[in-house]
């Protein structure tokens, strides 16, 4: 409702609605305070308001108010919640604490804190004598305590105790230390915890990866193409010259055959394999199938290039000889398997997964995998299934000279 006494609130040197919007966007995108101030100045100049300047301290103040307002909303959600789940996600020295709580007829999610090495900076030498999981549990409790403290009011002991009483679920990845930390929290701090759950996305990744590595023929293919010191894909990734040669080989294959595997008409400029993550292996496995003719041509050129040293030529010749019908079938099956598993993992990577659907998703995935790989439907190329094994078995034999 319009009030006459408030009509002058936005007059003068005060932040305008557009300034708040820009500060919010820069905060969401992770732009530094100094860069944000420069962007503000550029946008003001473009709007013919060159007299208006914003320094990094003003940007910091705007973003700080945005954060405080968001924190107040999350505090209100937790203050009326009857059930709270604490989710812990580790990445190197960083620890992200998130929560999910019930709210009216739905639920709310938010961030409790982001800790770097427990949030205490440089630890004392004596602290390392304590159990690691106990120190991690204490850092989580410290983050919750800081979350219950705002600049508007002091520490809210009532809210802190309410969160402790209502926290009944602890979720973490499959790291043994993270699971032990959950047990320490239940024993000493968050005694209302009734369920300690392993993140299903992590569990599915490991369950899909380990059987694949345990298979002997796949293990040979994996080491030769992705894992060994001079694996084919790793050497291509680490050499700009080899990547350029591979692009030339792709161009020649397209000229001779009219397309690469699967009718691919463009030149792929990267393979982007990262063996430490399952998702970063699934995509290169499919690209390997698409680029098989180009890779074979690259290896043949390298093996016959007398300017290369003997070790490089022999390595290329060995890799070329290893591309046998058996290895091609393994490559196609690997691409099919990883593509199916990745689709299944993606169902758990969403922000909100309905627990009531987990059993149905598991059963559907099991039925599909049995049909594809035990009953052989992967080679029949129906429309809704990945055709990598069928595609790779139809690669022609041609001369590229």
């Amino acid at each position: 409702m319009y009030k006459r006494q408030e009509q002058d609130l936005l007059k003068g040197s005060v932040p305008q609605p557009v300034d708040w919007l820009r500060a919010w966007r820069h905060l969401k995108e992770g732009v530094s305070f100094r860069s944000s101030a420069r962007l503000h100045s550029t946008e003001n100049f473009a709007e013919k308001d060159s007299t208006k300047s914003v320094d990094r301290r003003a940007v910091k103040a705007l973003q700080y108010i945005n954060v405080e307002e968001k924190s107040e909303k999350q505090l209100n959600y937790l203050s009326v919640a009857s059930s709270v789940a604490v989710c812990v996600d580790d990445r190197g020295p960083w620890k992200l604490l998130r929560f999910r709580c019930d709210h009216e007829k739905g639920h709310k999610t938010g961030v409790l804190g982001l800790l770097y090495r427990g949030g205490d900076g440089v630890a004392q030498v004596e602290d390392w004598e304590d159990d690691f999981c106990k120190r991690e549990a204490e850092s989580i409790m410290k983050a919750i305590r800081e979350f219950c403290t705002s600049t508007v009011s002091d520490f809210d002991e009532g809210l802190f105790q309410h969160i402790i009483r209502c926290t009944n679920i602890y979720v973490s990845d499959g790291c043994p230390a993270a699971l032990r930390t959950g047990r320490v929290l239940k024993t000493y701090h968050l005694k209302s915890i009734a369920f300690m759950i392993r993140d299903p996305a992590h569990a599915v990744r490991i369950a899909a990866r380990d059987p694949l590595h345990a298979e002997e023929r796949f293990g040979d293919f994996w080491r030769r193409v992705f894992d060994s010191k001079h694996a084919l894909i790793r050497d291509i990734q680490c050499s700009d010259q080899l990547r350029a040669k591979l692009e030339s080989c792709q161009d020649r294959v397209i000229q001779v055959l009219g397309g690469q595997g699967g009718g691919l008409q463009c030149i792929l400029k990267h393979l982007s394999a990262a063996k430490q993550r399952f998702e970063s292996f699934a995509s290169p496995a499919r690209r390997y199938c698409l680029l098989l003719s180009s890779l074979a041509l690259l290896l043949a050129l390298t093996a016959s290039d007398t300017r290369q040293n003997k070790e490089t030529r022999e390595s290329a010749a060995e890799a070329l000889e290893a591309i046998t019908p058996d290895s091609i079938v393994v490559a196609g099956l690997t691409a099919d398997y990883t593509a199916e598993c990745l689709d299944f993992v993606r169902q758990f990577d969403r922000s909100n997964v309905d627990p009531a659907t987990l059993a149905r998703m598991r059963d559907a995935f099991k039925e599909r995998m049995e049909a594809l790989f035990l009953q052989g439907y992967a080679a029949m190329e129906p429309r809704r299934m990945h055709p990598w094994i069928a595609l790779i078995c139809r690669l022609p034999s041609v001369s590229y000279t």
Side-chain angles (χ1 to χ4, degrees):
M1 181 181 295
Y2 174 76
K3 295 181 181 180
R4 183 178 179 83
Q5 58 270 26
E6 295 179 356
Q7 63 181 354
D8 296 332
L9 285 178
L10 296 178
K11 285 188 176 181
S13 183
V14 297
Q16 300 299 306
V18 66
D19 296 323
W20 291 104
L21 184 60
R22 289 170 179 167
W24 170 81
R25 173 47 61 193
H26 295 168
L27 177 63
K28 295 286 287 184
E29 297 298 327
V31 180
S32 68
F33 296 139
R34 192 180 300 276
S35 298
S36 180
R38 291 171 178 170
L39 291 172
H40 273 278
S41 300
T42 302
E43 291 166 357
N44 290 333
F45 180 81
E47 295 173 358
K48 300 182 180 179
D49 190 5
S50 58
T51 59
K52 184 179 178 182
S53 61
V54 180
D55 63 6
R56 59 186 177 88
R57 296 179 182 83
V59 172
K60 181 179 180 180
L62 289 174
Q63 295 188 3
Y64 186 76
I65 293 172
N66 276 324
V67 171
E68 283 295 310
E69 190 268 341
K70 182 68 173 179
S71 298
E72 287 296 324
K73 285 185 178 180
Q74 295 180 351
L75 288 171
N76 293 334
Y77 297 151
L78 289 170
S79 64
V80 297
S82 60
S83 177
V84 179
V86 174
C87 307
V88 180
D89 192 7
D90 293 304
R91 184 177 180 181
W94 297 96
K95 183 184 297 294
L96 177 64
L97 304 179
R98 296 176 294 172
F99 73 87
R100 177 179 292 185
C101 65
D102 63 303
H103 184 74
E104 297 178 352
K105 295 183 179 180
H107 68 274
K108 296 293 183 179
T109 60
V111 176
L112 288 171
L114 180 64
L115 305 178
Y116 179 74
R117 291 181 178 172
D120 293 326
V122 179
Q124 299 296 322
V125 174
E126 294 77 10
D127 293 342
W128 293 101
E129 297 178 0
D130 299 333
D131 183 77
F132 173 78
C133 297
K134 288 185 178 180
R135 289 191 287 110
E136 290 295 295
E138 290 172 359
S139 69
I140 291 175
M141 296 307 299
K142 179 182 177 182
I144 297 176
R145 181 177 292 273
E146 291 179 352
F147 181 79
C148 296
T149 306
S150 66
T151 55
V152 179
S153 60
D154 295 332
F155 172 66
D156 191 338
E157 179 67 27
L159 177 60
F160 180 70
Q161 294 299 329
H162 175 75
I163 293 175
I164 290 178
R165 289 192 302 271
C166 295
T167 301
N168 46 33
I169 300 175
Y170 173 83
V171 182
S172 69
D173 57 25
C175 174
L179 297 176
R180 289 198 301 270
T181 299
R183 290 193 285 270
V184 172
L185 285 171
K186 175 177 173 59
T187 303
Y188 298 101
H189 304 287
L190 304 175
K191 299 182 179 180
S192 298
I193 291 179
F195 299 99
M196 287 189 290
I197 303 173
R198 186 181 181 184
D199 183 2
H202 285 83
V204 171
R205 286 186 181 96
I206 295 174
R209 180 196 63 200
D210 289 352
L212 197 61
H213 286 274
E215 209 283 323
E216 181 179 357
R217 283 171 295 183
F218 168 79
D220 294 338
F221 168 76
W222 165 257
R223 286 188 294 271
R224 186 180 69 255
V225 178
F226 293 98
D227 192 42
S228 63
K229 182 177 180 181
H230 286 291
L232 175 61
I233 301 303
R234 177 181 289 189
D235 282 349
I236 293 174
Q237 279 189 284
C238 297
S239 172
D240 181 71
Q241 184 182 42
L242 285 178
R243 290 198 301 271
K245 286 183 177 180
L246 180 59
E247 292 175 18
S248 300
C249 293
Q250 292 181 67
D251 182 62
R252 177 58 60 88
V253 170
I254 293 174
Q255 290 177 14
V256 175
L257 299 180
Q260 302 193 77
L264 182 67
Q265 297 294 325
C266 62
I267 295 176
L268 299 182
K269 297 183 180 297
H270 61 85
L271 293 170
S272 301
K275 64 177 183 178
Q276 70 273 14
R277 290 190 63 84
F278 180 80
E279 296 92 327
S280 297
F281 164 69
S283 179
R286 298 194 294 268
R287 292 192 179 102
Y288 177 85
C289 295
L290 296 174
L291 304 182
L292 189 58
S293 297
S294 302
L295 289 170
L297 179 57
L298 172 65
L299 292 173
L301 291 175
T302 305
S304 60
D305 189 354
T306 56
R307 295 170 297 179
Q308 302 289 341
N309 58 55
K310 180 180 179 181
E311 182 181 356
T312 301
R313 295 197 308 271
E314 290 179 349
S315 176
E318 182 180 351
L320 182 60
E321 291 174 358
I323 303 179
T324 61
D326 287 344
S327 70
I328 291 175
V329 171
V330 170
L333 287 173
T334 300
D336 278 327
Y337 177 84
T338 54
E340 292 293 334
C341 292
L342 185 58
D343 289 344
F344 186 53
V345 168
R346 288 289 182 245
Q347 298 182 54
F348 298 93
D349 275 341
R350 296 176 295 179
S351 57
N352 298 310
V353 180
D354 186 0
T357 64
L358 295 181
R360 185 168 67 248
M361 289 191 298
R362 178 203 61 198
D363 294 341
F365 175 70
K366 180 182 177 182
E367 181 181 356
R368 181 178 175 86
M369 295 297 279
E370 289 178 348
L372 280 172
F373 299 104
L374 296 184
Q375 301 176 22
Y377 281 88
M380 296 180 66
E381 199 177 351
R383 289 187 177 182
R384 295 184 58 190
M385 295 185 179
H386 295 284
W388 299 103
I389 180 62
L391 177 151
I392 204 167
C393 289
R394 299 197 316 268
L395 291 174
S397 175
V398 244
S399 173
Y400 299 100
T401 57

